[in-house]
Amino acid sequence: MTRERTGPTLADATRGRVLFGGDYNPEQWPEEVWHEDVRLMQAAGVNSVTLGVFSWAKLEPSPGAREFGWLDRLMDLMHDHGIGVVLATPTSSPPPWMGRLHPETLPRDENGQIEWWGSRQHFSHSSDTYRRYAAAITEDLAARYGGHPALTMWHINNEYCTFDWGDEAATTFRDWLRRKYGTLDALNEAWGTAFWGQGHGDWDEVLPPRRAHYMKNPTHVLDFRRFTSDMLLECYVIERDIVRRHTPHIPVTTNFMPMWVGQDAWRWAEEEDVVSVDLYPDPRDPLGAQSGALVQDMTRSQAGGGPWMLMEQAAGPVNWRGVNHPKPRGLNRLWSLQAVARGADAVCYFQWRQSRQGAEKFHSGMIGHAGEQGRTYQEVKRLGAELAAIGGQVAGHRIGADVAVLFDWHSWWAGAQDGRLSSEVDHPQVVRSWHRALWEAHLTTAFAHPEHDLSPYRLVVVPQLYLLTDAAIENLLAYVRGGGTLVSGFLTGIADEDDRVRPGGMDARLRELFGIRTLHEWWPLDAGEDVECDGFRGTLWSEEIEAAADADEIVPYKGGELDGLPAVLRKGRAWYVSTLPEPAELRGLLTRAAADAGVRPVLEGLPDGVEAVRRGELLFVLNHGRDEVTVVVPGTHRDLLTGAEVTDSLILGRYGVAVLQS
Ligand code: GAL
């Protein structure tokens, strides 16, 4: 499952620079504005725009018609001004005529309701008609612009995320299941349909998991998630193969939503030349920088540790939260440079010019309603100049990580079903807690799939892997046997790939690895409840575990039902943590495990809220706080952002950043 890279890469588009720009939707504006746009783009150092993301209705105003003139002029205009084009296939928003003439292209929700046109992403991944039209427009775009000198990259669709419970999806679901199971008996066995008398006697009885009276069959739902991810991927691959046939030298991407539940991004990333992501941390979130770092670490890991593309972020507020806050002065720069520190070779936005109409008119743009004099554009301009200044030294460089966090969509899907013991356990939140501990300990972290080669890492952390395949379990065992240190959180190794609970309630090989003799019961905690352990408090979950005689170290629960039983267990280099320790405690535990494994933080003694990342030869130091801080950076360096020489220590003001070269 490790990503092979043979075709073109992001480097073919960046050509030694950091790409800077964003989605450009000029069809919303009269052509005079386009000329003003390129002037302002050039002044801001914009070197890349993404065109055509939502242009299908304009490109194909009636079935089979083509209106390319406006796009021809734009491609030329961009090229004349030295701005590269990431050209999108417009297939995420089919024109209204498609839904009107071909209602079967519209997806249905689990209640059978149609998702009508009037917004976007209203297509059925399983519709032959949709796929045919999507392939045709992609073919014509690739034929027309494949040789255009402005073209630097293909952007397929946009944030694939549409589920479909409709009739055509039912047919492709059955086909997918036939390929997977071969026989109905095998399907019934895998889904455990003996429970509640759900055995299917005919393939036509197998449907998407539509609205039902009570809890649905969890393996049915799990397979439907797998199927949905695969069908959307099939749509992507169809279009990718078309553009690749025309332009084998031009890299292809599709933009992920961060840690989005519907898409097995490990699997998808294998099919991309460039891994790209859209990232919108909440400016008010005190842990916004960490949630950004998490997505950046994950995206870089999906890109095999190499450079990746920040396809979209917001220069100011978004408009889809309950309350949408602007970015305070300096925050856009700080978070953009954070992405570069963590491996981005492209810093782009949704969108270039803030719209005056439509659903996102209150979502910021690089140039906002306030125009050229507005703070947002002025800050964008400064950032563009800085990225141009450092781009040559940064682009292409990799980031080393001794620590990996394991993450798997299938495990998330299986663990998030109805009928589980605690709805308080939110998998992304659990992962965030563990990543936060590593981030606050200044340990540079990668993400990996549980079946990846783990030998590059000294420390592997499993926040929670409810479902583990046999191959993954063997991989973990081999990793520890080979000298690796493994720290696992609770509710790990419970189910096999069919979501069947493993004998003993937790896989026997893992129990043996961690020194667990018997797992008697799970004791989930209520919201706000905690449990006392020796030296810390646990939250969210606890477990009634009996240690095996060969466990090396036990930190017990104190008081209550679990008094004296192990909250944390260690056997050799394998740790098991049966609760979620409070943040400082989890950080302490991982710091200790890392030190035992020989992993050191990027810099010692960093003040709180200061992040340090090494990228190639460069050391990025970022102050996420509003107060001035002094950071010890032994040696003599040059700050590429200011040109100043820095010896042994550095002062960073509010949201300050230094990029040090030694
Ligand atoms: C992304 C999307 C963009 C825009 C943006 C607003 O999810 O790809 O088209 O809607 O969000 O934040």
Side-chain angles (χ1 to χ4, degrees):
M1 270 194 88
T2 317
R3 194 161 175 271
E4 298 293 331
R5 329 174 110 252
T6 44
T9 66
L10 183 52
D12 294 295
T14 60
R15 299 187 201 117
R17 306 158 303 168
V18 168
L19 294 185
F20 184 59
D23 280 23
Y24 180 35
N25 298 299
E27 58 268 49
Q28 300 173 19
W29 302 92
E31 292 205 19
E32 316 80 87
V33 178
W34 303 0
H35 296 276
E36 177 70 354
D37 282 334
V38 282
R39 180 182 73 77
L40 292 169
M41 284 178 189
Q42 282 192 316
V46 167
N47 55 24
S48 177
V49 293
T50 302
L51 283 176
V53 176
F54 298 113
S55 304
W56 202 347
K58 191 161 173 72
L59 290 168
E60 187 171 358
S62 59
R66 295 290 182 261
E67 289 287 346
F68 284 133
W70 65 278
L71 189 52
D72 292 351
R73 292 197 291 288
L74 274 162
M75 293 290 288
D76 292 348
L77 184 68
M78 293 302 126
H79 182 60
D80 292 346
H81 291 82
I83 299 166
V85 174
V86 177
L87 189 56
T89 64
T91 52
S92 71
S93 187
W97 57 253
M98 197 181 305
R100 180 171 63 87
L101 298 176
H102 306 285
E104 76 280 9
T105 61
L106 299 169
R108 282 180 191 264
D109 70 13
E110 59 184 316
N111 298 321
Q113 297 293 317
I114 292 178
E115 291 185 1
W116 295 93
W117 62 91
S119 180
R120 63 181 193 188
Q121 280 138 342
H122 48 282
F123 63 89
S124 163
H125 50 60
S126 290
S127 160
D128 263 350
T129 310
Y130 164 77
R131 287 183 178 204
R132 216 173 38 246
Y133 276 113
I137 189 74
T138 301
E139 183 76 46
D140 290 355
L141 277 170
R144 191 168 188 97
Y145 300 109
H148 197 286
L151 178 70
T152 59
M153 206 186 302
W154 290 107
H155 174 306
I156 304 294
N157 201 281
N158 189 65
E159 294 187 339
Y160 277 102
C161 61
T162 311
F163 288 82
D164 185 16
W165 283 261
D167 288 342
E168 215 165 339
T171 305
T172 53
F173 186 39
R174 269 177 226 124
D175 293 344
W176 183 93
L177 291 165
R178 269 203 196 87
R179 287 196 296 278
K180 176 167 180 179
Y181 292 112
T183 66
L184 211 45
D185 283 350
L187 178 146
N188 280 324
E189 164 67 26
W191 288 9
T193 55
F195 187 76
W196 283 352
Q198 296 169 343
H200 303 94
D202 189 294
W203 279 102
D204 285 344
E205 293 161 9
V206 181
L207 293 171
R210 293 177 177 163
R211 186 194 158 97
H213 176 72
Y214 189 40
M215 290 193 282
K216 297 176 188 175
N217 179 307
T219 313
H220 183 185
V221 175
L222 173 60
D223 268 346
F224 186 68
R225 283 208 173 276
R226 291 168 166 150
F227 154 81
T228 300
S229 179
D230 283 1
M231 282 305 104
L232 291 170
L233 182 59
E234 233 175 65
C235 292
Y236 163 80
V237 166
I238 291 170
E239 295 184 28
R240 181 207 61 191
D241 288 351
I242 293 170
V243 298
R244 208 173 248 181
R245 177 160 44 74
H246 286 269
T247 54
H249 56 290
I250 300 281
V252 187
T253 189
T254 182
N255 47 341
F256 293 152
M257 283 185 273
M259 239 171 122
W260 183 61
V261 65
Q263 200 174 30
D264 175 359
W266 290 121
R267 172 72 195 93
W268 278 65
E270 292 171 23
E271 305 291 345
E272 294 186 287
D273 299 319
V274 171
V275 180
S276 61
V277 76
D278 302 342
L279 179 54
Y280 295 95
D282 186 344
R284 277 287 175 95
D285 179 355
L287 287 171
Q290 182 258 324
S291 76
L294 184 156
V295 172
Q296 293 158 10
D297 290 342
M298 192 177 278
T299 308
R300 184 183 68 251
S301 305
Q302 286 155 357
W308 52 278
M309 178 167 192
L310 178 55
M311 182 67 84
E312 291 181 20
Q313 61 171 339
V318 300
N319 73 330
W320 38 259
R321 293 198 168 94
V323 178
N324 298 283
H325 299 284
K327 283 186 167 162
R329 183 173 41 82
L331 191 63
N332 175 33
R333 171 179 184 260
L334 174 68
W335 284 358
S336 298
L337 289 169
Q338 182 194 31
V340 175
R342 292 186 175 269
D345 272 1
V347 173
C348 299
Y349 294 82
F350 177 85
Q351 58 178 330
W352 160 251
R353 186 182 277 280
Q354 182 169 16
S355 302
R356 291 182 59 204
Q357 292 184 292
E360 292 186 328
K361 58 184 177 295
F362 295 118
H363 188 292
S364 56
M366 296 168 80
I367 177 141
H369 292 154
E372 187 172 357
Q373 298 314 319
R375 174 171 71 82
T376 303
Y377 175 75
Q378 291 302 320
E379 288 192 38
V380 159
K381 198 168 155 186
R382 175 181 172 200
L383 176 64
E386 290 185 320
L387 291 177
I390 66 170
Q393 280 99 319
V394 172
H397 289 287
R398 297 173 70 86
I399 290 153
D402 290 327
V403 183
V405 174
L406 302 191
F407 187 84
D408 175 26
W409 269 263
H410 298 246
S411 179
W412 178 9
W413 294 335
Q417 304 266 14
D418 287 345
R420 66 213 161 111
L421 289 184
S422 171
S423 56
E424 291 299 316
V425 177
D426 175 51
H427 188 58
Q429 282 305 338
V430 173
V431 174
R432 271 185 201 121
S433 300
W434 284 76
H435 180 273
R436 173 186 173 182
L438 294 162
W439 185 77
E440 288 179 340
H442 310 293
L443 298 165
T444 308
T445 298
F447 278 81
H449 183 276
E451 291 179 27
H452 281 172
D453 174 15
L454 302 176
S455 61
Y457 308 107
R458 289 167 182 263
L459 173 65
V460 166
V461 169
V462 177
Q464 180 177 75
L465 286 169
Y466 162 83
L467 177 157
L468 277 172
T469 62
D470 285 331
I473 291 169
E474 292 301 335
N475 197 35
L476 295 182
L477 300 180
Y479 171 71
V480 177
R481 259 198 319 271
T485 298
L486 178 69
V487 183
S488 174
F490 64 83
L491 208 64
T492 288
I494 308 308
D496 69 12
E497 62 246 65
D498 297 330
D499 194 14
R500 188 183 287 107
V501 175
R502 292 192 178 266
M506 177 183 183
D507 183 79
R509 293 160 290 185
L510 291 178
R511 278 186 277 129
E512 158 82 26
L513 178 73
F514 295 121
I516 298 171
R517 180 161 173 265
T518 309
L519 169 61
H520 292 283
E521 288 288 2
W522 292 297
W523 290 79
L525 304 178
D526 283 328
E529 187 184 356
D530 54 26
V531 59
E532 198 178 340
C533 311
D534 195 5
F536 68 95
R537 303 192 80 79
T539 62
L540 210 56
W541 192 264
S542 55
E543 293 182 355
E544 187 177 342
I545 286 176
E546 198 180 318
D550 57 0
D552 291 317
E553 193 178 337
I554 290 170
V555 181
Y557 289 105
K558 283 179 74 179
E561 283 292 331
L562 305 181
D563 188 41
L565 295 177
V568 180
L569 271 170
R570 184 179 63 78
K571 181 175 157 190
R573 285 180 302 276
W575 301 65
Y576 184 73
V577 186
S578 70
T579 181
L580 182 67
E582 285 177 326
E585 295 304 332
L586 188 56
R587 189 193 327 153
L589 190 146
L590 289 177
T591 304
R592 183 185 146 194
D596 290 354
V599 184
R600 309 226 50 81
V602 181
L603 280 181
E604 302 283 352
L606 280 171
D608 276 355
V610 174
E611 175 179 7
V613 189
R614 279 186 206 286
R615 183 167 181 197
E617 306 273 273
L618 303 180
L619 174 64
F620 284 73
V621 190
L622 306 107
N623 178 16
H624 293 288
R626 286 165 174 263
D627 297 327
E628 187 175 284
V629 289
T630 302
V631 184
V632 176
V633 282
T636 301
H637 326 263
R638 193 164 61 88
D639 182 351
L640 297 183
L641 292 171
T642 59
E645 193 174 285
V646 172
T647 308
D648 292 335
S649 86
L650 172 73
I651 294 176
L652 290 176
R654 157 193 162 130
Y655 298 156
V657 183
V659 181
L660 302 181
Q661 189 172 43
S662 307

